[in-house]
Amino acid sequence: MSDNSKSKSKSLPTDITSLHEMVLSQAEQIEKLENTLRMLQRQLFGPKSEKRPVDSRQGWLFEQDAPAAEEPKERTTTVFEHKRKANRGRKPLPTNLPRIEKVIDLSDEEKQCACGSALNSIGEEISERLDVVPAKIQVVRTIRIKYACPGCQGTEDEAPTVRIAPPAAHILPKGNATENTIAHIIVSKFCDALPLYRQEKIFKRHNIHLARTTMVDWLLKVSEQLQPIINLIHEEVRSGLCIQVDETTLQVFGESGKTNKSKSYMWVYRGGPPERPAVLYHYDPSREHTVPLEFLQDYGGYVQTDGYCGYDWIDNETHLIHLGCMAHIRRGFYTAAEAIKNVNPTSANSAQEALDYIGKLYEVEAKARKNGLSAAEVYEARQQLAKPILDDFKAWLDEKGNATNPKGLLGKAVSYALGQWPRAIRYIENGHLHIDNNWVENAIRPFVIGRKNWMFAASPRGAEASGNFYTLIENAKLCNLNPYAYLCHLLEQLPKAKTAEQYLALVPQHLDPQLLSAGNSMA
């Protein structure tokens, strides 16, 4: 035996009880590591969706309002004496697209029948195909006519000798790009996730040498001029009953006191009145609680978050009501059920029980949406249907919390659910509230997709500009506006805005959609 082995054997306990405790401790550690490995494998290689089938057995409060179950009917189209299934795979092309007609006709000789009579037209057969024309690039030449008096040559008064119309107001007065070009660059990067270096190559294919540094300079200058609109959207988010908050990482170069590899954050706030929701993206180097604290200053209402400890301060604010997220509770049980189903069926079945409770809660929400219930009716449905489920689920959690290993995946899911419970059940207090934080998480998704392409922000100023552009684009989407058409309109009208009313009219939630050009409006 080596000296190293001898030294290890001497450190082992000699009594059986201590050895038993050591073996059990190591077995518990091994199980914990195996569970973590399975969880990571599922996250990397398993399905991402957490959707579960809806349980049609769940009762409904407003039975007289619920639609009667019907047998699915096949759509059919009559063709002479037989019927065939309608084509479900091809949808008609939008009616607002311009049509170019090409008529294919018979020759004069083919219009003659063999009997000598001329053929009569009895109808026509029409087919449509989508025709995509590559982007058209053109130059807009602005010509201002100069005038001078041929008689006195301007000597009779103090007016200028030569008169000329003033130049039009532009978002970049000294730039050589139109507002449409700037809107195209913004939408390509922040809506279609096309980095500027790729846009540079696309322009080059059209023999346009537009350096990405020039585009960066344009975007930074435009972002600064958009701040009045961003401030109004900020207030729009704070004008509703509830604000949902979430954050995601962002790499920013050149931050003071931080390395380029440090993490910064894009904070996302979603709120506003139910009939006109709004979302705001805000860059900050920190993930500290001071960031949402500053945003929520003087705000009174519900604040919905996940279980990140950086939001715990909300519970101590008298003017705020902390609302939790049932989706995050569900996620823990879903992870446990999937990761341990083949090694610990008993615990996996327990996790499945929790998912069944949560599934019933979501079924109440789904039926409320399907039946178009008012906020008052949603409140009533939650009180009579969701509350008993929540009571049963809480009793189940209390029982499992006393009998489950807190270090296992199931134990962690139970502990998280119990810790979040007071926040998670508050959604039943008001029919306008949501059961989860998914809406703001969905708002983060476009930013995350873009981040995979452009990777980082080259400066804090660039990160702030990114937040502004995402704010405008995602609010346009929320209002069913074409982001490109909206930005074209905004960039054209913003330099002309002088009053508070004129600025407010440029916010997506207050914009008249008829003002957008017909060619760029949302189909």
Side-chain angles (χ1 to χ4, degrees):
M1 183 180 293
S2 64
D3 294 339
N4 190 31
S5 299
K6 289 180 180 179
S7 61
K8 287 183 178 180
S9 63
K10 290 180 180 179
S11 62
L12 292 174
T14 55
D15 61 292
I16 296 178
T17 302
S18 299
L19 286 172
H20 267 286
E21 292 176 353
M22 177 179 288
V23 171
L24 290 174
S25 175
Q26 291 180 345
E28 184 179 290
Q29 185 66 20
I30 291 172
E31 182 183 1
K32 179 180 177 182
L33 293 174
E34 287 178 342
N35 287 340
T36 302
L37 176 61
R38 282 188 290 271
M39 180 181 65
L40 293 173
Q41 287 176 330
R42 189 193 66 80
Q43 290 176 348
L44 287 173
F45 308 113
K48 305 300 181 185
S49 175
E50 298 176 13
K51 289 185 177 180
R52 290 162 41 80
V54 176
D55 184 2
S56 59
R57 297 170 298 174
Q58 172 67 37
W60 188 238
L61 177 62
F62 304 101
E63 291 292 350
Q64 66 274 19
D65 298 328
E70 296 182 359
E71 293 295 327
K73 298 179 180 179
E74 284 190 338
R75 294 175 53 211
T76 58
T77 302
T78 303
V79 182
F80 297 106
E81 280 81 20
H82 70 279
K83 295 181 179 180
R84 67 185 180 194
K85 293 181 181 178
N87 189 344
R88 298 180 181 178
R90 178 180 297 176
K91 296 182 180 180
L93 297 174
T95 57
N96 66 325
L97 293 179
R99 259 62 177 177
I100 299 175
E101 293 188 351
K102 294 182 179 181
V103 180
I104 302 177
D105 201 359
L106 297 175
S107 65
D108 291 339
E109 294 180 356
E110 292 172 325
K111 294 178 183 178
Q112 293 292 326
C113 183
C115 71
S117 300
L119 300 179
N120 292 330
S121 174
I122 61 172
E124 56 189 13
E125 185 175 305
I126 300 175
S127 63
E128 292 188 337
R129 295 185 298 164
L130 184 64
D131 185 37
V132 177
V133 180
K136 179 176 69 173
I137 298 180
Q138 60 190 15
V139 177
V140 177
R141 296 184 68 195
T142 302
I143 302 172
R144 294 189 293 147
I145 309 300
K146 296 181 179 180
Y147 292 90
C149 178
C152 68
Q153 298 183 359
T155 60
E156 294 299 320
D157 56 31
E158 296 180 358
T161 303
V162 177
R163 297 184 185 181
I164 186 173
H170 291 290
I171 195 75
L172 293 178
K174 297 182 180 180
N176 66 341
T178 66
E179 284 73 20
N180 290 354
T181 300
I182 298 169
H184 171 76
I185 294 171
I186 294 172
V187 170
S188 295
K189 177 172 181 179
F190 299 100
C191 186
D192 301 327
L194 195 63
L196 295 182
Y197 78 90
R198 294 184 191 169
Q199 295 190 51
E200 182 180 14
K201 292 180 180 180
I202 294 172
F203 279 115
K204 194 172 183 179
R205 290 205 301 267
H206 294 278
N207 202 28
I208 305 296
H209 298 278
L210 183 56
R212 75 191 76 169
T213 53
T214 301
M215 289 187 276
V216 167
D217 184 57
W218 288 348
L219 296 187
L220 292 177
K221 291 179 179 178
V222 168
S223 173
E224 292 173 353
Q225 296 189 55
L226 293 171
Q227 198 57 49
I229 307 301
I230 301 300
N231 293 342
L232 289 173
I233 294 176
H234 178 283
E235 294 306 314
E236 195 75 20
V237 171
R238 289 167 48 93
S239 66
L241 171 72
C242 178
I243 297 178
Q244 296 182 334
V245 188
D246 204 357
E247 80 291 329
T248 187
T249 57
L250 171 66
Q251 188 176 4
V252 181
F253 291 171
E255 288 181 319
S256 177
K258 298 179 69 174
T259 66
N260 288 342
K261 294 183 178 180
S262 301
K263 289 182 180 180
S264 297
Y265 295 88
M266 186 65 76
W267 292 79
V268 183
Y269 305 89
R270 193 185 192 280
E275 67 277 9
R276 60 167 200 269
V279 62
L280 182 78
Y281 294 74
H282 171 70
Y283 150 74
D284 197 279
S286 171
R287 200 190 183 192
E288 294 294 327
H289 75 282
T290 52
V291 181
L293 175 62
E294 181 179 357
F295 182 88
L296 296 168
Q297 188 175 10
D298 299 329
Y299 173 77
Y302 289 89
V303 180
Q304 191 165 26
T305 73
D306 57 26
Y308 170 52
C309 61
Y311 299 119
D312 289 347
W313 61 273
I314 299 174
D315 296 320
N316 301 320
E317 299 292 327
T318 56
H319 63 293
L320 299 176
I321 305 173
H322 200 174
L323 188 61
C325 175
M326 191 63 68
H328 281 80
I329 293 177
R330 178 180 60 187
R331 195 164 300 163
F333 288 107
Y334 181 83
T335 299
E338 291 295 311
I340 62 179
K341 61 184 178 182
N342 294 325
V343 293
N344 193 338
T346 302
S347 294
N349 289 337
S350 294
Q352 191 62 48
E353 288 182 46
L355 293 175
D356 290 339
Y357 281 116
I358 299 173
K360 292 176 182 178
L361 294 172
Y362 272 90
E363 187 180 350
V364 174
E365 302 301 306
K367 286 189 174 181
R369 290 192 302 270
K370 183 178 179 180
N371 289 276
L373 300 188
S374 66
E377 290 173 327
V378 171
Y379 169 80
E380 195 66 28
R382 287 172 174 173
Q383 293 299 316
Q384 296 202 25
L385 293 176
K387 190 176 184 303
I389 300 172
L390 288 168
D391 292 340
D392 292 343
F393 188 23
K394 177 61 163 57
W396 183 91
L397 288 170
D398 289 335
E399 179 184 350
K400 291 297 178 182
N402 297 324
T404 305
N405 179 7
K407 296 183 179 179
L409 291 179
L410 177 61
K412 289 181 178 179
V414 171
S415 297
Y416 180 84
L418 289 172
Q420 293 294 309
W421 195 256
R423 305 170 182 172
I425 64 174
R426 287 199 177 114
Y427 78 96
I428 67 173
E429 296 177 358
N430 190 298
H432 286 299
L433 300 176
H434 296 279
I435 189 174
D436 55 40
N437 212 30
N438 284 353
W439 276 19
V440 74
E441 287 199 345
N442 291 339
I444 279 183
R445 190 170 293 121
F447 176 83
V448 174
I449 293 173
R451 184 181 60 196
K452 291 180 180 179
N453 289 272
W454 42 258
M455 304 296 290
F456 58 86
S459 67
R461 190 177 170 208
E464 291 174 0
S466 297
N468 286 349
F469 292 131
Y470 274 108
T471 295
L472 294 172
I473 287 173
E474 295 306 316
N475 277 284
K477 291 180 182 179
L478 282 176
C479 298
N480 295 318
L481 302 176
N482 183 314
Y484 172 73
Y486 167 67
L487 284 175
C488 287
H489 176 78
L490 173 63
L491 298 181
E492 288 173 0
Q493 299 301 318
L494 186 60
K496 307 173 187 177
K498 303 299 180 184
T499 66
E501 291 76 12
Q502 290 173 332
Y503 280 111
L504 185 63
L506 296 175
V507 174
Q509 285 76 9
H510 298 273
L511 178 73
D512 181 2
Q514 300 299 323
L515 296 176
L516 302 185
S517 62
N520 290 329
S521 62
M522 178 68 76

